[in-house]
């Protein structure tokens, strides 16, 4: 699994084709059915991407921890309600990216199965 391929929205099989047609934009994500360069099937069986929820959850937890640490520089009280608000806002803003990256990561984990 290559981190740069995930960040650059590249096919987990050949690293050339794109998985999403609109990775870094708002709006409804559009995923290609298969890789345009190597034909790698992205759609798999029904329900395949349910597992990507676990990846999405892990990403959200990691982002929450990072946001908590960064917000601690500005909000010095340990249990400040504002930190929860900041974390919620950051998670909402990152949700579209989380969904897309979790799918690409999930595809990369199971590319050989
Ligand atoms: Zn490919």
């Amino acid at each position: 699994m290559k981190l740069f391929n995930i960040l650059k929205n590249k096919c987990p099989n050949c690293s050339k084709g794109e998985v999403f047609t609109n990775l870094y934009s708002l709006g409804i994500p559009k995923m290609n059915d298969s890789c345009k360069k190597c034909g790698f099937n992205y759609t798999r069986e029904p329900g395949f991407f349910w597992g990507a929820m676990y990846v999405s959850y892990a990403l959200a937890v990691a982002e929450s921890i990072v946001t908590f640490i960064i917000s601690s520089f500005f909000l010095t009280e340990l249990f400040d309600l504002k930190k929860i608000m900041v974390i919620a806002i950051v998670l909402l803003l990152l949700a579209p990216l989380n969904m897309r990256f979790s799918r690409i990561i999930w595809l990369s984990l199971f590319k050989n199965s």
Side-chain angles (χ1 to χ4, degrees):
M1 188 164 72
K2 296 169 189 164
L3 182 66
F4 286 112
N5 282 348
I6 292 166
L7 292 175
K8 282 159 49 183
N9 184 31
K10 293 299 178 190
C11 167
N13 193 43
C14 69
S15 311
K16 288 174 186 151
E18 294 193 325
V19 180
F20 283 94
T21 55
N22 57 348
L23 181 69
Y24 290 109
S25 69
L26 294 172
I28 298 167
K30 292 187 189 88
M31 194 174 180
N32 291 320
D33 290 333
S34 61
C35 177
K36 288 190 168 71
K37 302 284 180 187
C38 71
F40 181 69
N41 184 15
Y42 296 146
T43 50
R44 303 300 185 97
E45 70 270 4
F48 174 76
F49 287 109
W50 281 97
M53 283 195 307
Y54 299 109
V55 179
S56 181
Y57 176 71
L59 288 174
V61 169
E63 289 157 4
S64 298
I65 292 170
V66 170
T67 306
F68 179 82
I69 292 169
I70 292 172
S71 67
S72 294
F73 290 114
F74 307 102
L75 306 165
T76 48
E77 267 184 65
L78 184 59
F79 296 107
D80 195 333
L81 204 59
K82 288 177 202 153
K83 283 183 187 174
I84 294 172
M85 296 296 288
V86 170
I87 290 170
I89 291 167
V90 168
L91 285 182
L92 277 174
L93 291 174
L94 290 176
L97 278 179
N98 270 1
M99 180 267 172
R100 293 163 207 205
F101 283 131
S102 65
R103 281 184 170 225
I104 299 173
I105 292 169
W106 194 249
L107 265 176
S108 302
L109 288 172
F110 294 100
K111 71 171 188 168
N112 295 324
S113 61

